[in-house]
Amino acid sequence: MSKLPHIGTSIFTVMSQLANEHQAINLSQGFPNFPIDERLIEIVAKLSKENVHQYTPMSGLPSLLEKIALLTQQSYGRMVNPASEILITAGATEGIFATIQALVQSGEEVVILDPSYDCYEAPILLSNAKPIRVSLHSDFTPNWDAIRAATNEKTKLIIINNPHNPTGKMWSEHDFLQLENLVETHPNLLVLSDEVYEYIRFEQPHISVHHRRKLWDRSISISSFGKSFHITGWKIGYVIAPESIMKEIKKVHQFLVFSVSSMAQHALNAYIDWVDVTEIGRFYQQKRDTFRQLMQATKLELLPCEGTYFQVASYAGISDENDVDFTRRLVTEFGVATIPISTFYANGTDHRCIRFCFAKDDDTLQKATERLMKL
């Protein structure tokens, strides 16, 4: 008998396979198609000949942990202990899984804000706990009345994602004040903050749980080198949490992967000395602006994109189809793969919106929009 009977192949895999079958341009799955930084390639080539191929310590390469602590201080003004409050993980997904498995007990509840990324629910169910899905407002801002109504003495975690996948929305100062009030009201509530797109933000600054001193003792943040440095296939991220919480997360982590790729950790340890994370947002803002300009020639209505490398568009003025059927037709008839937003909702809410990934080279974006102009 399946422990996850209702969970099948992810929509990302489905759409990428469909794109391959129809030789479509794949703007569905969130991975870049352009080369990584040449400096990182050179570092990897040099390291491959050195003695860096055995296990690193379970928590992570000590020098890399120290550099993450420094990066956190430089980015957010928060000092964390590299030895006890940081954990290198096999991607952000493993960090999320280990955190939920470590902290959530049978019978407890976890609030998820829909539309939401698909990796949150499974570890909750495997903990014999209950996911409580709360929809965001129609403009994808948090519905605090609904969130407060869904939170009670059984609620162990609220999962937040800022900048937000799939919508590219950013939380405001007001949202964090509301979150702080919620945590103060519920003394057992913890915050799992998915911040994998933290450096991919545009006109407005990204607000992190690291900015909020009131949340430090109650928050677990998730970050991704894969997202920040265009190396999604490396599957490497990190978790920051108070020592008492981190001890529990490490207990689970050591039996999932024990330690993460030594080559990747040594390479990032060298690379982080050279890279300026503020360049990441500027790089992707150029991608966003190029894509949005190209899309002006289509009939799709673009929604605001404040962060991440995803652009949501409404096709309500083009078709009455549900978004799953519409995205399938985009692949089969027009040769462009996207993601239907309804698949990010537990109840399948359909706003007739689709998600594009613009982390692609300009030629790919140009060719994709030329095809979309035929809609």
Side-chain angles (χ1 to χ4, degrees):
M1 181 180 295
S2 174
K3 289 186 175 181
L4 302 168
H6 70 290
I7 294 180
T9 305
S10 79
I11 188 63
F12 310 104
T13 299
V14 169
M15 295 308 296
S16 288
Q17 288 176 346
L18 201 60
N20 290 335
E21 291 171 11
H22 293 272
Q23 291 79 53
I25 297 172
N26 191 355
L27 302 187
S28 61
Q29 200 166 358
F31 59 85
N33 74 336
F34 43 79
I36 67 172
D37 192 331
E38 187 66 32
R39 293 172 295 182
L40 187 52
I41 294 174
E42 293 173 358
I43 288 168
V44 171
K46 180 176 180 293
L47 280 171
S48 67
K49 301 175 183 178
E50 299 181 7
N51 184 26
V52 296
H53 301 287
Q54 308 308 323
Y55 295 128
T56 57
M58 184 267 288
S59 297
L61 186 68
S63 55
L64 180 57
L65 295 174
E66 290 174 1
K67 289 178 182 179
I68 291 171
L70 178 60
L71 178 63
T72 304
Q73 183 181 6
Q74 292 171 339
S75 299
Y76 303 115
R78 179 185 179 186
M79 296 182 66
V80 294
N81 188 324
S84 60
E85 296 182 315
I86 307 174
L87 172 67
I88 305 294
T89 59
T93 301
E94 191 252 320
I96 291 167
F97 187 95
T99 297
I100 293 171
Q101 287 284 293
L103 303 179
V104 179
Q105 304 288 333
S106 176
E108 292 183 326
E109 297 178 354
V110 178
V111 172
I112 301 174
L113 307 181
D114 282 353
S116 59
Y117 191 57
D118 66 353
C119 78
Y120 302 149
E121 185 178 70
I124 299 168
L125 296 173
L126 291 171
S127 299
N128 198 29
K130 184 177 181 181
I132 305 298
R133 309 293 283 263
V134 178
S135 292
L136 300 172
H137 285 301
S138 59
D139 64 352
F140 304 120
T141 56
N143 183 338
W144 286 106
D145 288 339
I147 293 170
R148 281 188 288 269
T151 308
N152 56 57
E153 67 279 358
K154 291 183 179 180
T155 311
K156 185 58 175 284
L157 280 177
I158 178 172
I159 302 177
I160 68 172
N161 177 206
N162 179 47
H164 184 247
N165 175 20
T167 69
K169 198 72 176 174
M170 302 268 281
W171 275 35
S172 66
E173 174 74 13
H174 168 77
D175 293 320
F176 275 94
L177 290 172
Q178 294 297 313
L179 180 62
E180 289 170 350
N181 289 337
L182 188 73
V183 168
E184 288 175 355
T185 303
H186 298 277
N188 295 320
L189 179 65
L190 299 175
V191 177
L192 176 54
S193 185
D194 179 352
E195 303 190 18
V196 299
Y197 299 101
E198 61 194 307
Y199 295 116
I200 307 177
R201 81 292 185 279
F202 311 127
E203 285 80 9
Q204 67 185 80
H206 163 247
I207 303 175
S208 167
V209 291
H210 299 305
H211 286 125
R212 319 299 295 196
R213 185 177 293 273
K214 289 182 179 180
L215 297 177
W216 287 359
D217 293 337
R218 306 275 288 279
S219 296
I220 306 96
S221 71
I222 308 291
S223 294
S224 171
F225 285 124
K227 296 293 191 298
S228 295
F229 298 149
H230 335 310
I231 49 172
T232 60
W234 287 29
K235 294 299 294 180
I236 184 165
Y238 57 93
V239 178
I240 296 178
E243 182 175 3
S244 59
I245 294 175
M246 183 60 80
K247 284 180 178 178
E248 299 305 311
I249 299 172
K250 287 178 178 179
K251 291 177 184 178
V252 176
H253 168 79
Q254 69 179 339
F255 294 113
L256 283 174
V257 296
F258 183 73
S259 64
V260 174
S261 166
S262 59
M263 269 289 294
Q265 292 196 59
H266 280 277
L268 286 166
N269 181 62
Y271 180 63
I272 207 168
D273 292 335
W274 294 93
V275 70
D276 177 2
V277 294
T278 64
E279 295 176 354
I280 300 168
R282 290 193 289 269
F283 172 82
Y284 276 113
Q285 184 167 349
Q286 183 273 324
K287 291 287 182 190
R288 182 204 65 174
D289 293 348
T290 296
F291 185 60
R292 288 180 67 90
Q293 181 62 39
L294 290 168
M295 289 286 284
Q296 295 303 314
T298 75
K299 295 179 181 178
L300 293 161
E301 178 188 351
L302 302 181
L303 278 62
C305 174
E306 299 168 348
T308 76
Y309 45 56
F310 300 118
Q311 173 66 62
V312 175
S314 170
Y315 65 87
I318 300 173
S319 172
D320 291 329
E321 295 167 276
N322 67 60
D323 62 1
V324 173
D325 288 345
F326 184 77
T327 54
R328 286 184 178 275
R329 190 162 66 86
L330 273 186
V331 176
T332 58
E333 296 184 16
F334 297 92
V336 179
T338 64
I339 297 290
I341 296 295
S342 68
T343 59
F344 294 88
Y345 286 89
N347 61 6
T349 297
D350 188 353
H351 295 292
R352 285 192 279 175
C353 289
I354 56 179
R355 190 198 77 174
F356 295 92
C357 173
F358 57 79
K360 310 296 177 183
D361 59 49
D362 289 354
D363 183 59
T364 299
L365 298 178
Q366 175 74 46
K367 289 178 179 177
T369 50
E370 287 174 357
R371 297 183 182 188
L372 293 170
M373 286 168 60
K374 299 174 184 177
L375 274 168

